[in-house]
Amino acid sequence: MGRTGHRICITVAETAGFCFGVKRALEAAEKLAESGGGFTLGKLIHNPFVVEELEKKNVKAVESIDEITGTAVIRSHGVGREVYRQLDERGIRYIDATCPKVSRIHKIVEDASRNGANVLIAGDPDHPEVKGIVGHCLTVAKVVNSLEDIKDLVKTDKLFVQSPLIFISQTTGELSKWIEYKKLLKNHCTNLEIFDTICKATACRQQEAEKLASESDIMIVVGGKESSNTAKLTEICRKKCRTFFAESADKLPVDEIKAVLSGLDLDINIGITAGASTPSGIIKEVHRIMSEITKNDEMDIDFMAEVDKTFKRVYIGNRVKAYVVSVNNTEAVVDIGTKHSGYIPADELTATPGMLPKDVVKPGDEIDCVVTQINDQDGVVYLSKKRVDAAAGLEKLSEAFNANATVTGVVTSVIKGGVIVTCEGTRVFVPASHTGIPRGKKGEQPETPEELAKKLETLLKKEVKLKIIEVAEGRGRVVGSIRNAVKEESDALRAKFWSEIEVGKKYVGEVKSMESYGVFVDLGGVDGMVHSSELTWNRIKHPKEVVSVGDKLEVYVKSYDPEKKRVSLGAKNPDDNPWTKFLSEFNVGDIVKAQVVSTTPFGAFAQIIPGVDGLIHISQISLERVTNVAQYLTVGEVVEAKITEIDQEKNRVSLSIKELLEENAAEEAEETDGENESKEAVEE
């Protein structure tokens, strides 16, 4: 088989061999053997060689509870609720070696079915893991193992599909098929919740096998015939290259492999992968045999050393990269590249209260975490993203402190003496005096703690800008000031305003306050005053008749004094000037109807058109001598008067009722004289 001048490379998949769940179950069985032996409820793993070895050590596989006469190990595939009940009822001591990832599925199924949801499982209905999952369902559970199964279910059982439904997968399911299943089911279910329960280790194993097979001329898949994940690996590899399956090294189809190799003339790549129930010793032996077949010993590798590389050591405080596998309402499930199941509780994902895990991360995200707790017995590790974020945030806030930079955060809580702002994932304390909340005025009775807390609560959940005024990295303490950030921003706005202001320049400002004589408008760091007479062309008694605090008002600069920091504004639109309209429609001598709007000791003002009033002097009110204007005219009364004078420069109009009365009296006298002359003529 030697090929002079040709290269033959044998590559073993890094993920080949025992998964964490199988390794954990096997360790439990080995300990049981050391203590005198016992039983496994079903074959511990789908590998006949391992099962035989255990039996030699007095750990026997049985299929029925009735056969158990000592301590039993529940295999990594798990069992249903009824099995647990029978074991407890009979007082049988057992070691539960159910894979934590399978236990998680059991909890999902129990919780969902307890709330009335039915369960749909993608997997092999005869597989012990699937049977165990079904055994935890309190409603209706159905199993599908192909696209055709789902199509038939959708077609024949619409009631099941349209009911509240959860969809999960056997942990060793094929990822590519699972994606197809989800896509099809989403188009037909109106009340569906999907949980991605394929084990990340399984998905990685399948993806690596597919990649290795696409780069190889031959693939060897090692594992038990009954192993579901081994069968799936074989199916995946056969789509990419010539693939051989063997349960062990002595069952390798050597002659067939040699025949295939003899037909290859170029450099040859051989890949080896194995199911999750395959011991490393068997994989190593397969690798040795393949090396002998190809006489490529010079390229041999220390397989166990390579396998050891895949086992990462974790410890509390260890900072790791985590791949988000799934997210629910209470936690994120992650893979950290070890044989542990990783969990990040909701309160360790973010420092922002009230956020659900799905608001922080999503499946597929890669995040930095720190290990907070390890349970090797259950194969579980707990982590915190929040603490990593806080450490990174502390560094950023320290940089902001040194650079006097402004940062942004959200007020998350009110505590004694101030508020907590979450900024860059770090808690920042802002003293009450630095929040910018107005305190009691000097001379007034001091505020009670309750009154202060009530004021501070107005900031809750608001995004604020702040300056960092103290950082104690050793204690992880950061102090900030909202007030300083607001002041810096205001100072910058004021400087910009005074550098750009000019008479006639227009602004849109917000009405901040008002007095009887006018309103104060915020122009962006600087307040300007609009006198009441400059608010509208109409006569008003108080600014509140036309504007309110908080209104946006378009104004223009009439005058300003940079030294005294005063700005006089106008808000009247020149195009709406009623005097322009008045002068175009009225002249001296015209008779108008005007409404009395006010009376004074020297006369009365009457509105000719909105915005233009005329003065009826006391001497022009009546033909008689008037000493009290109110005896002749009342506010609201409409009178007829004659325009006697228009002063365009001073915008003044003089009216006279007296002249109109005199003219009317003269006309009446003329008419009377005419009638008398006619009468005398007739008599004569």
Side-chain angles (χ1 to χ4, degrees), residues 40-317:
T40 64
L41 191 52
K43 294 177 182 178
L44 188 71
I45 61 175
H46 288 145
N47 188 288
F49 305 102
V50 174
V51 174
E52 288 173 13
E53 285 297 315
L54 286 174
E55 193 157 351
K56 290 176 183 177
K57 296 177 182 179
N58 199 29
V59 178
K60 183 181 178 182
V62 297
E63 296 300 324
S64 169
I65 293 177
D66 297 332
E67 300 177 67
I68 299 174
T69 57
T71 302
V73 175
I74 295 176
R75 56 189 171 178
S76 61
H77 299 126
V79 294
R81 297 170 74 248
E82 178 62 20
V83 175
Y84 285 111
R85 189 191 67 77
Q86 290 184 28
L87 289 169
D88 292 335
E89 192 176 77
R90 300 186 188 193
I92 297 174
R93 183 176 178 274
Y94 61 87
I95 301 168
D96 192 350
T98 303
C99 173
K101 298 182 188 297
V102 177
S103 296
R104 174 176 170 267
I105 298 177
H106 293 172
K107 186 176 187 309
I108 290 171
V109 169
E110 282 192 24
D111 291 346
S113 59
R114 188 173 285 111
N115 291 326
N118 291 328
V119 179
L120 185 63
I121 308 164
D124 180 356
D126 297 322
H127 194 282
E129 180 188 319
V130 175
K131 289 181 178 179
I133 293 171
V134 171
H136 284 268
C137 181
L138 306 176
T139 50
V140 179
K142 294 191 176 185
V143 183
V144 291
N145 202 20
S146 66
L147 279 174
E148 288 65 32
D149 287 350
I150 297 178
K151 290 177 182 177
D152 289 343
L153 179 69
V154 169
K155 185 177 179 181
T156 60
D157 199 343
K158 294 186 185 300
L159 184 61
F160 178 80
V161 172
Q162 296 303 324
S163 67
L165 185 66
I166 67 166
F167 188 33
I168 59 174
S169 172
Q170 182 179 339
T171 57
T172 54
E174 187 175 336
L175 186 59
S176 59
K177 290 184 178 180
W178 171 245
I179 293 171
E180 291 179 354
Y181 295 166
K182 291 193 294 183
K183 184 177 180 181
L184 176 60
L185 205 58
K186 283 178 181 178
N187 293 331
H188 296 278
C189 299
T190 56
N191 198 352
L192 174 68
E193 187 173 7
I194 296 174
F195 293 88
D196 291 309
T197 53
I198 291 180
C199 176
K200 179 64 168 52
T202 298
C204 289
R205 189 191 307 270
Q206 292 174 357
Q207 291 168 355
E208 187 185 13
E210 183 177 21
K211 183 176 184 295
L212 184 57
S214 66
E215 298 169 350
S216 302
D217 301 293
I218 292 177
M219 277 295 293
I220 309 295
V221 180
V222 189
K225 287 183 179 179
E226 298 177 11
S227 171
S228 171
N229 66 81
T230 302
K232 288 182 174 66
L233 289 174
T234 305
E235 181 184 347
I236 290 168
C237 292
R238 280 178 176 160
K239 295 176 183 178
K240 299 295 181 180
C241 70
R242 183 67 184 271
T243 301
F244 297 94
F245 167 78
E247 283 193 300
S248 62
D250 59 358
K251 292 191 177 184
L252 279 170
V254 175
D255 292 338
E256 290 183 51
I257 293 173
K258 286 182 178 180
V260 173
L261 290 174
S262 65
L264 301 174
D265 295 325
L266 301 174
D267 293 344
I268 299 172
N269 292 311
I270 299 173
I272 299 175
T273 189
S277 301
T278 308
S280 58
I282 292 179
I283 303 170
K284 186 176 182 181
E285 184 64 15
V286 168
H287 180 270
R288 187 185 66 78
I289 296 297
M290 289 304 300
S291 296
E292 289 181 357
I293 290 174
T294 59
K295 289 189 171 53
N296 194 40
D297 293 337
E298 71 274 11
M299 296 194 66
D300 204 356
I301 59 172
D302 183 348
F303 173 70
M304 292 309 295
E306 292 300 311
V307 169
D308 288 340
K309 290 179 182 178
T310 67
F311 288 83
K312 297 179 182 177
R313 179 172 171 267
V314 293
Y315 52 88
I316 293 176

Side-chain angles (χ1 to χ4, degrees), residues 3 152 156 205 264 302 364 381 433 444 446 527 533 591 640:
R3 292 176 175 273
D152 289 343
T156 60
R205 189 191 307 270
L264 301 174
D302 183 348
V381 61
S433 59
E444 293 182 352
D527 287 350
S533 62
I591 296 172
E640 201 170 44

Side-chain angles (χ1 to χ4, degrees), residues 594-610:
Q595 184 177 35
V596 178
V597 293
S598 65
T599 60
T600 68
F602 57 82
F605 288 95
Q607 179 179 277
I608 304 170
I609 62 173

Side-chain angles (χ1 to χ4, degrees), residues 57 123 135 167 202 209 244 251 308 330 333 360 388 522 571 625 684:
K57 296 177 182 179
F167 188 33
T202 298
F244 297 94
K251 292 191 177 184
D308 288 340
T330 59
V333 182
V360 184
V388 173
D522 181 5
R625 185 173 181 274
E684 187 176 327

